[in-house]
Amino acid sequence: LDGITKMCVIADFKKTIKSLSLSCLWITHDLQEAKVISDRILLLNEYGIKEINRSISNEKFAKELVG
């Protein structure tokens, strides 16, 4: 999908999930996509899960990931 269509599909999916009061695990390598669809973002590295709540952590791993 092109970028605009992709974000429209994601927005519709998010609206549907919310209206049905469901939980969803969305796996992506795209940080922008993660910010659009999520209320919490988890980062994985070789040591485990690193949680970021909509903001960028001060950890070196997170800074390297998001630039």
Side-chain angles (χ1 to χ4, degrees), residues 12-34:
D12 286 344
F13 181 79
K14 182 177 181 177
K15 190 184 321 177
T16 301
I17 293 299
K18 187 174 183 176
S19 71
L20 296 173
S21 298
L22 298 174
S23 295
C24 178
L25 175 63
W26 189 274
I27 300 170
T28 183
H29 290 101
D30 184 337
L31 184 62
Q32 190 62 30
E33 180 180 314

Side-chain angles (χ1 to χ4, degrees), residues 5-58:
T5 303
K6 179 179 175 181
M7 288 303 155
C8 288
V9 169
I10 289 170
D12 286 344
F13 181 79
K14 182 177 181 177
K15 190 184 321 177
T16 301
I17 293 299
K18 187 174 183 176
S19 71
L20 296 173
S21 298
L22 298 174
S23 295
C24 178
L25 175 63
W26 189 274
I27 300 170
T28 183
H29 290 101
D30 184 337
L31 184 62
Q32 190 62 30
E33 180 180 314
K35 286 181 177 181
V36 169
I37 198 158
S38 67
D39 57 353
R40 288 188 303 167
I41 297 173
L42 301 175
L43 293 179
L44 294 173
N45 68 7
E46 65 270 16
Y47 303 110
I49 296 174
K50 305 289 183 184
E51 183 173 343
I52 298 179
N53 287 313
R54 284 281 197 196
S55 61
I56 303 306
S57 168
N58 287 327

